[in-house]
Amino acid sequence: MDNLKIIEVLDKDPLAVAQAAANQISQLTKKQTHQVALVLGSGWVSAADSLGKPTHEFSVTELPGFINPTVAGHGGKIRSYDLSIGDKSISVLVFLGRTHFYEGLGMNAVCHSVRTAVKTGCKSIVLTNAAGGINRDYRVGQPVLIRDHISLTAASPLSGANFVDLTDLYSKELRNIVKQSDSTLSEGVYVHWRGPTYETPAEINMMRTIGADLVGMSTVPEAIAAHALGAKVLAISLVTNAAAGVTGEKLDHSAVS
Ligand code: 8IG
């Protein structure tokens, strides 16, 4: 199916297509459920190697509703892992790469991974991304937990009279668990910027003035879609550049993928 046809089917009933994709994952992995999903954005894909050996790996295009990822450094693969945590074993679904809003395929394409993950049973969703640092205290290479966001896209993944509360969108409980193992981690406010252009220095100054620490082109729609389906969300940015105007250097995407 070409991308336009996939999007047409997805937009008609996104949750039904997510359920169909989840069923396909169960068939491919012979696991009825997964408990945790991890979305690895640019800069993070190699982190999957630290999880050991997956039990299964397949291409997103083997599942309904997924379009082929286009940005360099984004894998378009899904892996299933069985991880031992204490005396428990959990099944973890790992997405290598994601679809971005700037691709112009709509919010349902952007949110399809996390909706599929929730439909496979995931009650916790971990989202990672690479971001520009607005906060002058941040250094390149630093991970930052997202504690809240500001959406400057004026676009929601939800439609209809669906007034979802976002007060605890980035689960305090999950953030506290992470900080117990690394108390030096900073927390910050992430701005979702549509892209694909980066910001102007004036836009970065505006973002800092309204309380932002980080800026990027992902994560926010997925966090909202997962939360709306009842999952807990943890989100982590890797600061891979100082945002426009912070150092006076030009931004270069090759540095981040
Ligand atoms: I990596 O400086 C990365 N992604 N909008 N601005 C925006 N997205 C980004 C940036 C940045 N760096």
Side-chain angles (χ1 to χ4, degrees), residues 140-163:
V140 167
Q142 178 179 347
V144 177
L145 284 179
I146 297 178
R147 82 173 155 78
D148 205 344
H149 79 229
I150 297 170
S151 171
L152 290 185
T153 67
S156 173
L158 309 178
S159 52
N162 198 353
F163 307 112

